[in-house]
Amino acid sequence: MNKVTTSTLIIFVLIAGWVFYLTNIKKDDSLTVRYYSISELASESNDIKKIKVGGYIKPNSIDISENDQLEASFFVYQNNDSVKVTYYGIRPDLFKDDAEVVVSGSYANNLISATELQTKCASRYEGDLKNIEKI
Amino acid sequence: MISQIGSIAISLAGGLIFSSFIFLGLFKKFKNQTYLQVAERAILATSYCIFLAFFCLLNELLISNFNLQYVAQYTSYETPVFYKITALWAGQAGSLLFWSFITAFFAVTYIFTTLEKLKTLKFHSYLILSFIFSFFILLSNFIANPFEPVSSDIIVQNGNGLNPLLQNFFMAIHPPILYVGFTGSAIIFIMALAASISKDISFEWVQSIRRWSLFVWTFLSAGIILGGYWAYNELGWGGYWAWDPVENSSLMPWLTLTAFIHSSMIQEKRGMLKKWNFLLATSTYILVILGTFITRSGVISSVHSFTAENLGPMFFAFLAILILYTVFWFFKRKSYLDTPDKIDSFTSREGGFLYNNLILILMCFTIMWGTLFPILSEAWDGNKIYVGASYFNQLNIPIGLVLLFLMGIGPLLSWNYTSKSILLNRFKLPLSISFLSGIGYMIFSSSFQIYVFVAIMGVSFTLSSILGEFYKSYKKQKKASNFIHSLGKMFLSNRHKNGGYIVHIGIVLLFIGFIGRAFEVEKEFSLSPGEQIYFSNYVFKLNSIKSEARDNHYAFLSEIDVVDSSTNQLLVNLKPEKRIYFYWNSDPEKRQPHSELDIYSTIQKDIYSIFSGYDAQKNIGYFKIMINPLVNWVWIGGVLMVIGSLFAFWPSRRDN
């Protein structure tokens, strides 16, 4: 190996090292968020600072404040477990009963205070045939 | 009837592609050219069967044959013709057939053009092509057949129809454009492997694979940019890139392909870096399949919802075979791919390309690491950990800025070696312009952000360096009668180089758009008609909220006056809407709200307005306003990238 290749490699290794340092991300709260399944939360009694949860909105659980339409609470369920979520802000258009959502925020007293609420975007419309008129 | 033909065509394609393996085996055993020819014809016949199946499905969609499950799922009588056509790739089964269709198209092109020139690559090309082809045909036959009839006990009166939210032009066209890029990278994969296995890397081969790469790159770029454009104008979160796994998996192959386009130039000019290029060319397609695996298996949660049928294991097996095959041949041909020449100077064009490559690969690596992190961390200790956009930004902004400067440095370097005095001479002007604009930012901007500072310096450095190159070649050539004429002549004199520079200018403009992200502001608020609110130098006054029943939806129409508070002049009248599709449905669950944005777009900034909710009893509207500076530069840059690469790709008379 000649000089140029060697030094280039060294530079690359240094940069890669820096990247690894940064990507030692498990320890860095500002970069990562742990994903919990709802059944895991059901048995979790401690508070969690940062959390990400995916599931479906429990039918008839959406409660929108009388005073301020931006204030909402609802339950997210998966199989037989569910968790209550509060959220203040504009809700996505696809937000409704049984919609698949991903919420991020903090968890305390069996309640998620969401700072971010995403519904699965409709990039595909995988409708089943339930809307089809049958004879 | 037509659907039966389609169904038979798909089965026939399966049989034909299988037979090509047999004839390839016979050729290997008896070395009789006839067998090779038969295999070729089997592949061609497979392609024609796929064409036939594709047009059969198109026909069924157009005539609304709801006896087919696929047609009933994605179209209805009311679906406009354009969206009946785009339903071809709206669902799983259709998109897989569409994938085969493009593969077929490329297979025919590859056989009749590239392989005519590079005859020695035939055997291995056919082998790998047949393997890739057979995978998709297998899926269409056994897992997701678009010609599957609805179950016999129901008669479908009308289909589901396409979600009205997806009835958007850019939503409809960006997937196929991306698919063309994805599928085309298979040809690059095949060419790299076939040439290495048969130890036949020639100058013609390099030229040919470069042309394919440019073509594929154009489509990948266009697909990615159009996806962002659609998200920005339709989805209503005010951004165009969110580092979602689906987005990342289209960016990763783009990065390796970009690296390949640059480093293969060194191979073209000096015959070096064969091993490196082999890895880049093959990893592009492997990353495409990795991305498809990620997006279609559901192993990583993404806001883009995909499909119910799980193709994960199939794609995983396919991916594993591709990787093993590539790695096997890489080690087997290691000594053949070794090149004695080494790059001997930092300050050479080759050196520049090398840094560019390392940076691009680093970027690709960080994105892959972040995208796969949930899987890796779960495998490590059972905790599924997601990394947020902040991870990607923290790593990729500095890496991207280095890349930005490299685009300006590269053109100033000569091949082999650039002496110090020449270097100084060439860097003088761009560097001074860069410093001046940096100082200008410090003086005129109220706040200081280091990334913005570096980005402004980078943009001005690279832009002046490339424009300087244009000026030099303009001066060098003979003057034609007028300015426009001689400018045209200058551009046509070296298409590859000038096309490349146009792409680079496009990317610099992209960076200008990215700088704008540092200055985005947003506000959510509620207003009753007649009320107003002050935000970021503008006054937003809600004039009225009206409602109106339209063809296929019910709309609440707001009207907001935007007044520039410094001049006190009415700037624009924004009219974001809240729409309710299927409002006639008695079941409120079936109704579908949709916020129709209104964007006031200028070259300096966009004022982006969303009407997100309406409280009819209290007569209060809920709104979100974002001020997004410089967004238009992203689209301008994207268009320029595509124009530049088409310009470089288009064959010149000399090539023929």
Side-chain angles (χ1 to χ4, degrees):
Chain A
M1 278 216 260
N2 70 348
K3 217 170 56 185
V4 174
T5 331
T6 323
S7 26
T8 313
L9 267 178
I10 290 170
I11 294 169
F12 186 69
V13 166
L14 282 177
I15 299 174
W18 167 67
V19 169
F20 261 111
Y21 169 73
L22 272 178
T23 49
N24 192 3
I25 36 190
K26 284 198 171 187
K27 293 185 188 95
D28 190 343
D29 274 351
S30 67
L31 294 179
T32 58
V33 50
R34 161 110 143 75
Y35 186 92
Y36 285 82
S37 71
I38 290 174
S39 56
E40 266 179 285
L41 273 185
S43 56
E44 180 74 56
S45 52
N46 295 331
D47 295 354
I48 303 161
K49 249 199 259 161
K50 274 184 90 183
I51 189 172
K52 187 175 180 142
V53 166
Y56 299 86
I57 295 173
K58 199 171 185 174
N60 303 319
S61 75
I62 299 176
D63 180 22
I64 291 163
S65 162
E66 293 278 313
N67 301 322
D68 190 343
Q69 280 217 340
L70 295 181
E71 200 180 318
S73 74
F74 52 91
F75 279 83
V76 178
Y77 78 95
Q78 197 169 35
N79 303 328
N80 295 321
D81 301 303
S82 65
V83 62
K84 190 176 180 180
V85 181
T86 60
Y87 178 71
Y88 185 86
I90 288 171
R91 296 177 294 279
D93 284 330
L94 297 171
F95 179 86
K96 58 182 176 186
D97 286 0
D98 273 319
E100 197 175 353
V101 288
V102 177
V103 295
S104 324
S106 59
Y107 177 74
N109 306 323
N110 301 319
L111 177 81
I112 296 178
S113 309
T115 50
E116 204 180 329
L117 167 65
Q118 290 175 310
T119 48
K120 288 262 183 180
C121 98
S123 63
R124 289 294 160 91
Y125 188 60
E126 298 285 345
D128 50 28
L129 290 171
K130 66 184 167 197
N131 291 343
I132 288 174
E133 299 156 38
K134 293 181 183 177
I135 292 180
Chain B
M1 177 62 194
I2 300 286
S3 66
Q4 274 90 321
I5 296 177
S7 189
I8 293 167
I10 288 189
S11 313
L12 206 58
L16 282 164
I17 202 70
F18 181 67
S19 75
S20 95
F21 282 116
I22 295 174
F23 288 111
L24 286 171
L26 288 173
F27 170 73
K28 187 89 186 153
K29 190 144 196 273
F30 301 111
K31 299 273 173 267
N32 185 339
Q33 284 293 329
T34 321
Y35 290 125
L36 192 62
Q37 240 170 41
V38 178
E40 176 182 304
R41 285 182 192 168
I43 294 173
L44 288 173
T46 311
S47 305
Y48 301 143
C49 281
I50 294 294
F51 291 155
L52 182 64
F54 181 79
F55 288 112
C56 288
L57 185 61
L58 181 62
N59 179 70
E60 299 304 277
L61 285 165
L62 286 175
I63 64 164
S64 292
N65 178 2
F66 296 133
N67 293 326
L68 294 185
Q69 206 165 331
Y70 189 79
V71 178
Q73 257 174 334
Y74 298 102
T75 60
S76 66
Y77 285 121
E78 293 82 23
T79 308
V81 172
F82 177 70
Y83 296 107
K84 281 185 179 172
I85 298 171
T86 62
L88 277 168
W89 52 80
Q92 176 99 284
S95 69
L96 286 171
L97 181 63
F98 186 69
W99 194 304
S100 296
F101 172 73
I102 307 171
T103 309
F105 185 77
F106 284 145
V108 174
T109 318
Y110 180 59
I111 288 171
F112 283 128
T113 61
T114 312
L115 285 184
E116 280 302 302
K117 280 185 235 156
L118 305 164
K119 290 197 163 60
T120 47
L121 304 188
K122 277 185 176 176
F123 174 74
H124 288 287
S125 292
Y126 294 157
L127 193 66
I128 306 166
L129 184 60
S130 300
F131 173 67
I132 290 173
F133 223 162
S134 61
F135 173 71
F136 286 98
I137 293 170
L138 213 68
L139 290 181
S140 284
N141 265 309
F142 297 111
I143 311 285
N145 192 334
F147 295 102
E148 186 82 23
V150 290
S151 57
S152 54
D153 56 333
I154 54 172
I155 295 167
V156 179
Q157 299 266 312
N158 195 354
N160 267 357
L162 191 68
N163 189 333
L165 309 187
L166 297 183
Q167 299 192 6
N168 169 285
F169 178 73
F170 293 102
M171 174 60 213
I173 61 163
H174 92 263
I177 290 178
L178 213 47
Y179 282 166
V180 170
F182 285 168
T183 316
S185 60
I187 301 290
I188 300 168
F189 177 82
I190 293 167
M191 282 187 80
L193 269 165
S196 309
I197 296 172
S198 48
K199 297 191 182 181
D200 206 31
I201 292 180
S202 58
F203 185 67
E204 279 78 38
W205 175 85
V206 182
Q207 283 195 319
S208 176
I209 198 169
R210 279 185 52 76
R211 281 184 64 75
W212 277 99
S213 312
L214 280 176
F215 176 79
V216 170
W217 190 91
T218 311
F219 277 87
L220 273 183
S221 310
I224 293 172
I225 298 272
L226 282 173
Y229 186 79
W230 168 70
Y232 183 76
N233 286 288
E234 198 65 20
L235 291 184
W237 51 277
Y240 43 82
W241 193 264
W243 296 111
D244 186 86
V246 172
E247 296 161 4
N248 292 348
S249 49
S250 65
L251 187 61
M252 288 188 285
W254 185 88
L255 288 168
T256 49
L257 189 61
T258 309
F260 177 73
I261 286 174
H262 289 92
S263 68
S264 60
M265 233 180 288
I266 307 183
Q267 190 171 339
E268 191 178 18
K269 288 257 193 293
R270 297 191 52 193
M272 292 166 20
L273 295 183
K274 280 183 195 158
K275 260 193 291 192
W276 178 247
N277 284 333
F278 172 85
L279 288 176
L280 288 178
T282 48
S283 59
T284 299
Y285 187 61
I286 287 173
L287 285 170
V288 165
I289 298 300
L290 175 72
T292 317
F293 164 67
I294 290 173
T295 52
R296 296 206 186 214
S297 66
V299 290
I300 295 176
S301 132
S302 147
V303 290
H304 298 255
S305 68
F306 274 83
T307 155
E309 291 144 291
N310 192 347
L311 294 183
M314 311 293 270
F315 270 99
F316 187 77
F318 184 55
L319 180 67
I321 295 173
L322 291 182
I323 293 175
L324 289 176
Y325 191 73
T326 308
V327 170
F328 173 78
W329 282 110
F330 176 71
F331 283 107
K332 197 139 188 206
R333 288 289 175 269
K334 218 168 161 234
S335 54
Y336 169 71
L337 293 170
D338 248 333
T339 35
D341 275 340
K342 291 279 183 238
I343 294 169
D344 19 55
S345 164
F346 286 120
T347 53
S348 63
R349 185 67 69 86
E350 303 92 298
F353 282 147
L354 197 65
Y355 308 138
N356 136 306
N357 261 241
L358 292 177
I359 294 291
L360 286 168
I361 296 310
L362 195 68
M363 216 171 197
C364 180
F365 173 76
T366 60
I367 294 171
M368 186 153 80
W369 184 253
T371 310
L372 297 180
F373 201 77
I375 305 181
L376 299 175
S377 68
E378 196 177 22
W380 183 251
D381 60 6
N383 291 341
K384 204 168 192 173
I385 292 182
Y386 279 83
V387 294
S390 50
Y391 159 84
F392 292 103
N393 289 332
Q394 200 165 17
L395 285 170
N396 284 305
I397 291 174
I399 299 175
L401 287 174
V402 175
L403 201 61
L404 176 63
F405 275 98
L406 277 178
M407 277 193 307
I409 296 170
L412 304 180
L413 301 171
S414 318
W415 289 96
N416 290 324
Y417 177 69
T418 325
S419 75
K420 274 207 183 93
S421 58
I422 293 176
L423 212 57
L424 204 67
N425 202 15
R426 286 183 186 161
F427 274 78
K428 231 169 22 197
L429 190 64
L431 268 183
S432 7
I433 292 177
S434 165
F435 276 118
L436 281 178
S437 50
I439 292 167
Y441 166 72
M442 286 209 278
I443 294 173
F444 292 110
S445 166
S446 51
S447 65
F448 181 80
Q449 294 185 52
I450 181 74
Y451 283 150
V452 175
F453 173 68
V454 178
I456 285 175
M457 284 184 68
V459 164
S460 45
F461 174 77
T462 301
L463 213 54
S464 51
S465 148
I466 297 171
L467 292 178
E469 285 303 296
F470 277 144
Y471 179 68
K472 258 185 254 166
S473 45
Y474 173 74
K475 251 178 45 182
K476 229 185 263 169
Q477 62 154 3
K478 265 195 181 159
K479 287 281 166 291
S481 51
N482 62 43
F483 172 71
I484 300 290
H485 193 180
S486 42
L487 201 67
K489 246 176 78 179
M490 183 272 286
F491 271 106
L492 291 173
S493 63
N494 190 343
R495 278 162 184 272
H496 290 289
K497 195 168 116 187
N498 291 329
Y501 286 163
I502 295 172
V503 173
H504 284 184
I505 290 178
I507 293 175
V508 171
L509 299 186
L510 277 186
F511 271 90
I512 294 179
F514 298 161
I515 293 174
R517 296 214 69 170
F519 300 99
E520 285 174 4
V521 282
E522 59 174 68
K523 190 176 180 70
E524 290 180 9
F525 54 86
S526 57
L527 288 180
S528 292
E531 289 182 338
Q532 62 181 41
I533 191 168
Y534 173 84
F535 169 55
S536 182
N537 288 326
Y538 298 100
V539 174
F540 296 90
K541 178 170 184 265
L542 179 65
N543 282 337
S544 64
I545 297 178
K546 295 183 191 126
S547 57
E548 169 180 311
R550 294 188 186 147
D551 262 1
N552 63 347
H553 64 272
Y554 192 84
F556 294 99
L557 316 158
S558 68
E559 211 188 281
I560 305 171
D561 281 344
V562 182
V563 177
D564 190 330
S565 67
S566 53
T567 58
N568 231 348
Q569 272 182 342
L570 179 71
L571 195 66
V572 66
N573 193 250
L574 289 172
K575 293 172 179 152
E577 297 175 7
K578 186 83 194 174
R579 295 178 175 175
I580 316 287
Y581 287 94
F582 307 116
Y583 66 95
W584 53 82
N585 205 317
S586 54
D587 179 5
E589 281 310 301
K590 296 266 160 57
R591 295 177 199 157
Q592 174 64 66
H594 171 62
S595 307
E596 184 74 12
L597 316 166
D598 197 9
I599 306 173
Y600 172 68
S601 188
T602 66
I603 208 80
Q604 292 131 10
K605 62 175 75 174
D606 285 10
I607 301 178
Y608 192 99
S609 66
I610 308 159
F611 183 9
S612 60
Y614 178 54
D615 187 337
Q617 282 165 356
K618 294 184 187 155
N619 198 18
I620 297 177
Y622 293 85
F623 297 92
K624 183 171 186 174
I625 300 280
M626 297 182 201
I627 316 281
N628 299 335
L630 304 173
V631 173
N632 266 319
W633 290 98
V634 174
W635 319 131
I636 297 170
V639 170
L640 218 54
M641 276 163 73
V642 172
I643 291 176
S645 78
L646 280 178
F647 189 78
F649 167 76
W650 216 255
S652 62
R653 253 169 277 163
R654 199 181 42 188
D655 285 354
N656 298 334

